[in-house]
Structures are given as C-alpha cells and as structure tokens.
C-alpha cells in the first residue's frame, strides 16, 4: 500500500461503523468528509498547547473548509491530565461555548487526548459525536481505533470510561514528522 495516496479502512462493529482515513495530507480534506457525516456545524478541537501552536491553524482550517465553526481547547500534556477534573473543565468549556448534541469533539493528539476527549464526548449530554485525529504512531495504530475511552483514577489507569466509537478517524502520516525519535520508536 502506497502511503502517498489516501486510503479508507472500514471499521464495522455490531454498534458502529466508521472509516479510518489514512495517508499523507488526508487532514486537509477531512472537514469536507465530516460535513457529509455530521449534521452539526460546530467543532471543538481538543489538543495540547504545543500541537495547537504547530498544527492548530491547519486543523481548524480543514474543519472550516467543511463549514464548521471551530473552538479550541488545550489540555496539559501528559498522563496526569487524563482525569475527572480535566474532563469537568472540558465540560464547562463546552457548556459555556454552546456545545450541543449536534456539535462534534475532535481529539487531536496522542492516546491521552483521544481517551479524554472520547470520554467527554461519551458523557457530555449523554453522548455527542467525536472524531479522532491521532498524532503519534501508537495512537494511529492502537488507541484511536475501537472506541476505548476513559480517564484515570487514583486507584488505577482507565478505571472510569466507556466504549464509544468515533464517527471517523483521520490518520495523517505527515503528522509523524514532528515526533521525537523516542516517541516514534514507542509506536
């Protein structure tokens, strides 16, 4: 499979069907694809400050090209931010910005961002759409697929969560260029 052209991998489960878009520069047209999937026009991009600085304009532009208005929300980097307090802070942001059941949460980052954002999407208003835009190799091949979402508790990792599949996954391998060698090898 040549990674220079985009590919779609169909994921079919008993409860949900969605596509994983894989390739170089698949992020740019992704907003148009979401517009075909989702009725709402408000997208909330959840990521780390560094990723938002490097790629935030690219992702928000892709979403805006699909007709979405965008809001960004930064969470601290690292496993320590994957907790109920960070989820509660995200809920507050969503409520203040008028997120409703037609809004979409976009997880833009590695496994921590995807797990937390998916958990928030599964529980905010009893469930709103979300998409995964993984930025690490491990997230691209594992955590963005299958709908495992959750947050940590003092008694264990991922103790609070749910299975909540994304509506779509956008795996743009171009994003791997920004990873440090050690992070790339972890994948």
């Amino acid at each position: 499979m040549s990674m220079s052209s985009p590919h779609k991998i169909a994921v079919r489960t008993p409860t949900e069907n969605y596509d994983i878009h894989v390739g170089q520069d698949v992020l740019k047209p992704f907003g148009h694809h979401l517009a075909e999937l989702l009725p709402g026009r408000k997208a909330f991009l959840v990521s780390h400050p560094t990723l938002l600085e490097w790629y935030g304009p690219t992702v928000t532009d892709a979403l805006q090209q699909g007709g979405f208005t965008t809001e960004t929300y930064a969470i601290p980097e690292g496993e320590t931010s994957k907790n109920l307090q960070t989820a509660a802070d995200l809920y507050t942001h969503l409520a203040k910005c008028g997120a409703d059941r037609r809004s979409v949460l976009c997880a833009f980052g590695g496994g921590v961002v995807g797990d937390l954002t998916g958990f928030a999407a599964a529980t905010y208003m009893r469930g709103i759409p979300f998409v995964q835009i993984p930025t690490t190799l491990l997230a691209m091949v594992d955590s963005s697929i299958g709908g495992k979402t959750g947050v940590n508790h003092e008694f264990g990792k991922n103790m609070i969560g749910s299975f909540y599949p994304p509506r779509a996954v956008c795996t743009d391998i171009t994003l791997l260029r920004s990873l440090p060698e050690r992070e790339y090898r972890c994948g």
Side-chain angles (χ1 to χ4, degrees), residues 3-119:
M3 294 315 280
S4 61
S5 61
H7 296 277
K8 266 198 303 193
I9 300 168
V11 177
R12 304 296 177 245
T13 72
T15 58
E16 192 69 42
N17 298 326
Y18 60 93
D19 292 325
I20 301 171
H21 300 258
V22 182
Q24 252 178 308
D25 298 316
V26 295
L27 183 56
K28 292 176 184 174
F30 193 62
H32 291 291
H33 173 69
L34 282 183
E36 294 171 7
L37 285 178
L38 302 170
R41 288 292 169 252
K42 193 177 282 192
F44 292 84
L45 181 64
V46 181
S47 190
H48 298 302
T50 304
L51 284 172
L52 287 173
E53 182 182 328
W54 290 348
Y55 298 110
T58 302
V59 181
T60 56
D61 184 56
L63 293 167
Q64 290 168 358
Q65 291 295 319
F68 291 89
T69 60
T70 58
E71 291 280 338
T72 59
Y73 187 78
I75 63 167
E77 289 188 45
E79 190 76 23
T80 57
S81 67
K82 197 170 105 172
N83 59 57
L84 285 171
Q85 185 56 57
T86 306
D89 294 343
L90 177 54
Y91 298 145
T92 299
H93 176 76
L94 293 171
K96 284 182 178 179
C97 293
D100 59 25
R101 287 194 173 118
R102 293 169 46 97
S103 300
V104 60
L105 276 180
C106 302
F108 181 62
V112 169
V113 171
D115 284 358
L116 175 77
T117 304
F119 176 75

Side-chain angles (χ1 to χ4, degrees), residues 79 82-83 150-160:
E79 190 76 23
K82 197 170 105 172
N83 59 57
V151 294
N152 300 334
H153 187 273
E154 67 179 290
F155 292 114
K157 185 174 173 160
N158 295 322
M159 285 195 72
I160 303 165

